[in-house]
Short mmCIF file of all heavy atoms in Angstrom, two decimals:
data_model
loop_
_atom_site.label_atom_id
_atom_site.label_comp_id
_atom_site.label_asym_id
_atom_site.label_seq_id
_atom_site.Cartn_x
_atom_site.Cartn_y
_atom_site.Cartn_z
N MET A 254 7.85 37.02 122.81
CA MET A 254 8.60 36.25 121.81
C MET A 254 9.53 37.11 121.02
O MET A 254 9.27 38.37 120.66
CB MET A 254 7.60 35.67 120.74
CG MET A 254 6.61 34.63 121.45
SD MET A 254 7.30 32.99 121.85
CE MET A 254 6.96 32.22 120.26
N PHE A 255 10.64 36.60 120.67
CA PHE A 255 11.49 37.31 119.85
C PHE A 255 12.36 36.30 118.94
O PHE A 255 12.41 35.11 119.36
CB PHE A 255 12.67 38.05 120.78
CG PHE A 255 13.34 37.24 121.67
CD1 PHE A 255 14.67 36.90 121.39
CD2 PHE A 255 12.89 36.85 122.90
CE1 PHE A 255 15.42 36.05 122.23
CE2 PHE A 255 13.58 36.05 123.75
CZ PHE A 255 14.80 35.72 123.45
N SER A 256 12.89 36.76 117.89
CA SER A 256 13.59 35.89 116.97
C SER A 256 15.14 36.28 116.84
O SER A 256 15.47 37.35 116.97
CB SER A 256 13.07 35.89 115.54
OG SER A 256 13.02 37.23 115.09
N ILE A 257 15.94 35.28 116.90
CA ILE A 257 17.35 35.49 116.78
C ILE A 257 17.95 34.54 115.56
O ILE A 257 17.28 33.70 115.22
CB ILE A 257 18.09 35.08 118.03
CG1 ILE A 257 17.55 33.54 118.65
CG2 ILE A 257 17.67 35.97 119.13
CD1 ILE A 257 18.46 32.63 118.26
N GLU A 258 19.12 34.90 115.21
CA GLU A 258 19.85 34.13 114.14
C GLU A 258 20.73 33.22 114.97
O GLU A 258 21.65 33.48 115.54
CB GLU A 258 20.76 35.06 113.38
CG GLU A 258 19.94 35.85 112.20
CD GLU A 258 19.54 34.90 111.07
OE1 GLU A 258 20.19 33.83 110.87
OE2 GLU A 258 18.58 35.17 110.53
N CYS A 259 20.26 31.84 114.99
CA CYS A 259 21.12 30.87 115.66
C CYS A 259 22.01 30.19 114.87
O CYS A 259 21.60 29.55 113.78
CB CYS A 259 20.17 29.80 116.30
SG CYS A 259 20.97 28.41 117.07
N PRO A 260 23.42 30.24 115.00
CA PRO A 260 24.44 29.68 114.17
C PRO A 260 24.31 28.14 114.26
O PRO A 260 24.65 27.54 113.27
CB PRO A 260 25.81 30.16 114.70
CG PRO A 260 25.41 30.56 116.15
CD PRO A 260 23.99 30.94 116.11
N GLN A 261 23.87 27.55 115.28
CA GLN A 261 23.80 26.06 115.27
C GLN A 261 22.52 25.58 114.52
O GLN A 261 22.63 24.53 113.85
CB GLN A 261 23.70 25.62 116.74
CG GLN A 261 25.05 25.48 117.36
CD GLN A 261 24.92 24.88 118.88
OE1 GLN A 261 25.58 25.55 119.72
NE2 GLN A 261 24.30 23.78 119.08
N HIS A 262 21.57 26.38 114.58
CA HIS A 262 20.34 25.98 113.70
C HIS A 262 20.61 26.37 112.26
O HIS A 262 20.08 25.67 111.49
CB HIS A 262 19.09 26.79 114.30
CG HIS A 262 18.40 26.04 115.26
ND1 HIS A 262 18.45 26.39 116.67
CD2 HIS A 262 17.35 25.09 115.19
CE1 HIS A 262 17.61 25.54 117.41
NE2 HIS A 262 16.99 24.79 116.48
N GLY A 263 21.33 27.42 112.09
CA GLY A 263 21.57 27.92 110.78
C GLY A 263 20.44 28.69 110.11
O GLY A 263 20.47 28.84 108.94
N THR A 264 19.57 29.14 111.01
CA THR A 264 18.45 29.92 110.57
C THR A 264 17.76 30.80 111.69
O THR A 264 18.30 30.82 112.78
CB THR A 264 17.24 28.80 110.17
OG1 THR A 264 16.14 29.47 109.71
CG2 THR A 264 16.85 27.98 111.43
N THR A 265 16.77 31.43 111.37
CA THR A 265 16.11 32.27 112.36
C THR A 265 15.26 31.47 113.39
O THR A 265 14.52 30.52 112.78
CB THR A 265 15.27 33.31 111.77
OG1 THR A 265 16.10 34.01 110.98
CG2 THR A 265 14.68 34.25 112.89
N VAL A 266 15.50 31.57 114.52
CA VAL A 266 14.62 30.79 115.60
C VAL A 266 13.89 31.64 116.50
O VAL A 266 14.34 32.79 116.94
CB VAL A 266 15.58 29.91 116.53
CG1 VAL A 266 14.85 29.18 117.62
CG2 VAL A 266 16.53 29.20 115.60
N LEU A 267 12.63 31.38 116.65
CA LEU A 267 11.80 32.06 117.55
C LEU A 267 11.89 31.56 118.97
O LEU A 267 11.69 30.31 119.32
CB LEU A 267 10.38 31.82 117.07
CG LEU A 267 9.30 33.03 117.43
CD1 LEU A 267 9.74 34.33 116.98
CD2 LEU A 267 8.00 32.65 116.89
N LEU A 268 12.33 32.46 119.92
CA LEU A 268 12.30 32.16 121.39
C LEU A 268 11.38 32.84 122.20
O LEU A 268 10.79 33.83 121.85
CB LEU A 268 13.79 32.46 121.83
CG LEU A 268 14.93 31.85 121.09
CD1 LEU A 268 16.27 32.18 121.79
CD2 LEU A 268 14.78 30.28 121.17
N GLY A 269 11.02 32.20 123.28
CA GLY A 269 10.07 32.92 124.29
C GLY A 269 10.77 33.27 125.50
O GLY A 269 11.94 33.09 125.74
N LEU A 270 10.01 33.68 126.54
CA LEU A 270 10.34 34.07 127.88
C LEU A 270 11.13 32.97 128.63
O LEU A 270 12.10 33.21 129.17
CB LEU A 270 9.17 34.57 128.75
CG LEU A 270 8.48 35.89 128.25
CD1 LEU A 270 7.31 36.15 129.31
CD2 LEU A 270 9.54 37.02 128.33
N SER A 271 10.79 31.66 128.34
CA SER A 271 11.46 30.63 129.06
C SER A 271 12.87 30.42 128.51
O SER A 271 13.53 29.68 129.10
CB SER A 271 10.56 29.46 128.91
OG SER A 271 10.41 29.00 127.59
N ASP A 272 13.15 31.04 127.34
CA ASP A 272 14.54 30.77 126.93
C ASP A 272 15.54 31.87 127.39
O ASP A 272 16.68 31.75 127.09
CB ASP A 272 14.43 30.94 125.39
CG ASP A 272 13.62 29.73 124.89
OD1 ASP A 272 13.81 28.60 125.18
OD2 ASP A 272 12.63 30.02 124.10
N ILE A 273 14.97 32.86 128.10
CA ILE A 273 15.78 33.95 128.53
C ILE A 273 16.42 33.63 129.89
O ILE A 273 15.84 33.07 130.68
CB ILE A 273 14.94 35.31 128.77
CG1 ILE A 273 14.39 35.86 127.44
CG2 ILE A 273 15.67 36.37 129.44
CD1 ILE A 273 13.46 36.86 127.50
N ARG A 274 17.79 33.75 129.83
CA ARG A 274 18.47 33.40 131.10
C ARG A 274 18.83 34.78 131.94
O ARG A 274 18.84 34.57 133.03
CB ARG A 274 19.85 32.83 130.69
CG ARG A 274 19.67 31.54 129.99
CD ARG A 274 19.24 30.40 131.01
NE ARG A 274 18.74 29.19 130.24
CZ ARG A 274 17.46 28.99 130.02
NH1 ARG A 274 16.54 29.84 130.35
NH2 ARG A 274 17.02 27.94 129.38
N GLN A 275 19.01 35.79 131.39
CA GLN A 275 19.45 36.92 132.10
C GLN A 275 19.09 38.21 131.37
O GLN A 275 19.09 38.25 130.03
CB GLN A 275 20.82 36.98 132.41
CG GLN A 275 21.38 37.99 133.48
CD GLN A 275 22.79 38.14 133.46
OE1 GLN A 275 23.46 37.24 132.99
NE2 GLN A 275 23.30 39.29 133.86
N ILE A 276 18.66 39.24 131.95
CA ILE A 276 18.43 40.56 131.24
C ILE A 276 19.23 41.58 131.89
O ILE A 276 19.23 41.87 133.09
CB ILE A 276 16.86 40.89 131.35
CG1 ILE A 276 16.07 39.97 130.51
CG2 ILE A 276 16.73 42.30 130.81
CD1 ILE A 276 14.59 40.18 130.65
N GLU A 277 19.96 42.40 130.99
CA GLU A 277 20.88 43.37 131.44
C GLU A 277 20.36 44.63 130.97
O GLU A 277 20.19 44.84 129.51
CB GLU A 277 22.31 43.11 130.93
CG GLU A 277 23.36 42.90 131.87
CD GLU A 277 24.70 42.53 131.22
OE1 GLU A 277 24.58 42.05 130.07
OE2 GLU A 277 25.66 42.90 131.86
N ASN A 278 20.36 45.72 131.76
CA ASN A 278 19.88 47.04 131.21
C ASN A 278 21.09 47.90 131.13
O ASN A 278 21.74 48.28 132.18
CB ASN A 278 18.87 47.62 132.18
CG ASN A 278 17.75 48.44 131.46
OD1 ASN A 278 18.06 49.03 130.41
ND2 ASN A 278 16.57 48.34 131.98
N THR A 279 21.57 48.21 130.02
CA THR A 279 22.76 49.10 129.82
C THR A 279 22.32 50.41 129.11
O THR A 279 21.25 50.56 128.62
CB THR A 279 23.84 48.39 129.01
OG1 THR A 279 23.39 48.41 127.63
CG2 THR A 279 23.99 46.97 129.50
N SER A 280 23.36 51.25 129.14
CA SER A 280 23.12 52.53 128.29
C SER A 280 22.87 52.31 126.86
O SER A 280 22.27 53.12 126.03
CB SER A 280 24.29 53.48 128.62
OG SER A 280 25.50 52.91 128.26
N ALA A 281 23.43 51.22 126.23
CA ALA A 281 23.25 50.95 124.96
C ALA A 281 21.98 50.31 124.47
O ALA A 281 21.52 50.12 123.41
CB ALA A 281 24.53 50.05 124.39
N GLY A 282 21.23 49.79 125.50
CA GLY A 282 20.07 49.13 125.39
C GLY A 282 19.89 48.04 126.30
O GLY A 282 20.56 47.89 127.28
N ILE A 283 18.91 47.19 125.95
CA ILE A 283 18.69 46.00 126.87
C ILE A 283 19.37 44.72 126.35
O ILE A 283 19.03 44.40 125.15
CB ILE A 283 17.12 45.81 127.25
CG1 ILE A 283 16.52 47.01 127.80
CG2 ILE A 283 16.88 44.62 127.98
CD1 ILE A 283 15.08 47.06 127.73
N HIS A 284 20.15 44.15 126.98
CA HIS A 284 20.86 42.90 126.55
C HIS A 284 20.14 41.70 127.25
O HIS A 284 19.96 41.55 128.40
CB HIS A 284 22.31 42.82 127.00
CG HIS A 284 23.17 43.82 126.41
ND1 HIS A 284 24.60 43.81 126.27
CD2 HIS A 284 22.86 45.04 125.71
CE1 HIS A 284 24.99 44.79 125.68
NE2 HIS A 284 24.05 45.58 125.31
N VAL A 285 19.51 40.86 126.22
CA VAL A 285 18.72 39.74 126.60
C VAL A 285 19.69 38.52 126.35
O VAL A 285 19.90 38.24 125.19
CB VAL A 285 17.52 39.61 125.96
CG1 VAL A 285 16.75 38.32 126.49
CG2 VAL A 285 16.60 40.80 126.18
N HIS A 286 20.20 37.92 127.56
CA HIS A 286 20.96 36.68 127.38
C HIS A 286 19.99 35.42 127.28
O HIS A 286 19.14 35.24 128.14
CB HIS A 286 21.83 36.56 128.56
CG HIS A 286 22.85 37.63 128.67
ND1 HIS A 286 24.17 37.49 128.35
CD2 HIS A 286 22.69 38.88 129.09
CE1 HIS A 286 24.80 38.55 128.64
NE2 HIS A 286 24.00 39.53 128.98
N TYR A 287 20.12 34.80 126.17
CA TYR A 287 19.07 33.67 125.89
C TYR A 287 19.81 32.38 125.68
O TYR A 287 21.07 32.32 125.43
CB TYR A 287 18.24 33.91 124.68
CG TYR A 287 19.21 34.21 123.32
CD1 TYR A 287 19.51 33.12 122.64
CD2 TYR A 287 19.50 35.40 122.92
CE1 TYR A 287 20.30 33.21 121.54
CE2 TYR A 287 20.24 35.55 121.77
CZ TYR A 287 20.72 34.48 121.14
OH TYR A 287 21.38 34.69 119.98
N GLU A 288 19.27 31.31 125.70
CA GLU A 288 19.63 30.01 125.42
C GLU A 288 18.65 29.36 124.45
O GLU A 288 17.46 29.12 124.86
CB GLU A 288 19.78 29.16 126.75
CG GLU A 288 20.48 27.86 126.45
CD GLU A 288 20.82 27.09 127.63
OE1 GLU A 288 20.98 27.52 128.76
OE2 GLU A 288 20.99 25.76 127.43
N CYS A 289 19.17 29.00 123.24
CA CYS A 289 18.39 28.35 122.29
C CYS A 289 17.92 27.03 122.69
O CYS A 289 18.57 26.36 123.56
CB CYS A 289 19.00 28.50 121.05
SG CYS A 289 18.09 27.82 119.48
N SER A 290 16.94 26.46 121.96
CA SER A 290 16.56 25.03 122.41
C SER A 290 17.57 24.06 121.91
O SER A 290 17.58 23.04 122.50
CB SER A 290 15.17 24.86 121.51
OG SER A 290 15.39 25.02 120.16
N CYS A 291 18.54 24.41 121.14
CA CYS A 291 19.70 23.60 120.77
C CYS A 291 20.85 23.70 121.67
O CYS A 291 21.87 22.98 121.66
CB CYS A 291 20.18 23.87 119.35
SG CYS A 291 20.82 25.52 119.10
N GLY A 292 20.72 24.68 122.57
CA GLY A 292 21.90 24.80 123.62
C GLY A 292 22.67 26.08 123.31
O GLY A 292 23.61 26.35 124.09
N HIS A 293 22.54 26.65 122.21
CA HIS A 293 23.36 27.84 121.79
C HIS A 293 22.91 28.89 122.69
O HIS A 293 21.74 29.33 122.99
CB HIS A 293 23.16 28.24 120.35
CG HIS A 293 23.71 29.62 120.03
ND1 HIS A 293 25.00 29.87 119.76
CD2 HIS A 293 23.01 30.75 119.83
CE1 HIS A 293 25.17 31.05 119.56
NE2 HIS A 293 23.88 31.69 119.59
N LYS A 294 23.98 29.75 123.22
CA LYS A 294 23.78 30.85 124.12
C LYS A 294 24.29 32.04 123.33
O LYS A 294 25.19 32.12 122.72
CB LYS A 294 24.61 30.71 125.41
CG LYS A 294 23.95 29.64 126.22
CD LYS A 294 24.71 29.30 127.50
CE LYS A 294 24.18 28.19 128.30
NZ LYS A 294 25.21 27.69 129.36
N GLY A 295 23.33 33.14 123.51
CA GLY A 295 23.77 34.32 122.81
C GLY A 295 23.15 35.56 123.49
O GLY A 295 22.45 35.41 124.44
N VAL A 296 23.34 36.72 122.91
CA VAL A 296 22.83 37.95 123.49
C VAL A 296 21.93 38.65 122.38
O VAL A 296 22.44 38.78 121.36
CB VAL A 296 23.95 38.86 124.06
CG1 VAL A 296 23.30 40.28 124.69
CG2 VAL A 296 24.74 38.12 124.94
N TRP A 297 20.76 39.06 122.75
CA TRP A 297 19.92 39.67 121.85
C TRP A 297 19.72 41.18 122.34
O TRP A 297 19.52 41.39 123.58
CB TRP A 297 18.57 39.06 121.81
CG TRP A 297 17.52 39.73 120.98
CD1 TRP A 297 17.58 40.17 119.74
CD2 TRP A 297 16.18 40.13 121.51
NE1 TRP A 297 16.36 40.75 119.39
CE2 TRP A 297 15.54 40.76 120.49
CE3 TRP A 297 15.46 40.04 122.83
CZ2 TRP A 297 14.27 41.18 120.63
CZ3 TRP A 297 14.24 40.58 122.86
CH2 TRP A 297 13.59 41.19 121.76
N LEU A 298 20.11 42.11 121.56
CA LEU A 298 20.07 43.58 121.86
C LEU A 298 18.70 44.19 121.56
O LEU A 298 18.32 44.06 120.35
CB LEU A 298 21.22 44.30 121.29
CG LEU A 298 21.43 45.79 121.59
CD1 LEU A 298 21.62 45.94 123.11
CD2 LEU A 298 22.51 46.39 120.89
N THR A 299 18.04 44.83 122.42
CA THR A 299 16.82 45.36 122.14
C THR A 299 16.59 46.72 122.82
O THR A 299 17.46 46.90 123.86
CB THR A 299 15.57 44.44 122.65
OG1 THR A 299 14.39 45.00 122.11
CG2 THR A 299 15.53 44.15 124.02
N GLY A 300 15.61 47.40 122.78
CA GLY A 300 15.14 48.46 123.55
C GLY A 300 16.24 49.63 123.58
O GLY A 300 16.67 50.24 124.47
N ARG A 301 16.82 49.90 122.31
CA ARG A 301 17.96 50.90 122.19
C ARG A 301 17.17 52.26 122.60
O ARG A 301 16.12 52.63 122.11
CB ARG A 301 18.29 51.06 120.65
CG ARG A 301 19.40 50.04 120.34
CD ARG A 301 19.88 50.29 118.98
NE ARG A 301 20.74 49.23 118.44
CZ ARG A 301 20.35 48.04 118.01
NH1 ARG A 301 19.16 47.83 117.76
NH2 ARG A 301 21.22 47.15 117.59
N SER A 302 18.01 53.10 123.31
CA SER A 302 17.47 54.32 123.80
C SER A 302 17.32 55.33 122.59
O SER A 302 18.22 55.26 121.74
CB SER A 302 18.48 54.85 124.86
OG SER A 302 19.79 54.86 124.37
N ARG A 303 16.32 56.15 122.61
CA ARG A 303 15.97 56.84 121.47
C ARG A 303 16.78 58.20 121.58
O ARG A 303 17.20 58.66 122.62
CB ARG A 303 14.49 57.27 121.57
CG ARG A 303 13.74 56.15 120.79
CD ARG A 303 12.18 56.39 121.06
NE ARG A 303 11.82 55.83 122.47
CZ ARG A 303 10.56 55.92 122.79
NH1 ARG A 303 9.68 56.61 122.31
NH2 ARG A 303 10.37 55.47 124.01
ZN1 ZN B 686 19.45 26.90 117.98
#
């Protein structure tokens, strides 16, 4: 589970694995492409390299 700021909800939304559309591993970290329950699509950046 992870939480994102959804502009369509106008609040913080908790998303789960089923909301993830694509995961990208980059040098800047892990980009998780998600789709909110309202249809908003965005990218959540996690796992920044130390
Ligand atoms: Zn939303």
Side-chain angles (χ1 to χ4, degrees):
M254 298 283 267
F255 58 99
S256 58
I257 52 101
E258 282 288 329
C259 176
Q261 271 181 236
H262 271 98
T264 183
T265 302
V266 181
L267 201 60
L268 298 181
L270 290 179
S271 58
D272 300 307
I273 293 174
R274 293 291 167 265
Q275 192 194 337
I276 294 178
E277 239 180 336
N278 219 327
T279 76
S280 55
I283 300 167
H284 292 200
V285 179
H286 296 253
Y287 60 83
E288 184 173 341
C289 185
S290 54
C291 65
H293 168 75
K294 290 175 185 161
V296 180
W297 174 57
L298 182 61
T299 185
R301 285 188 181 83
S302 48
R303 277 170 275 175

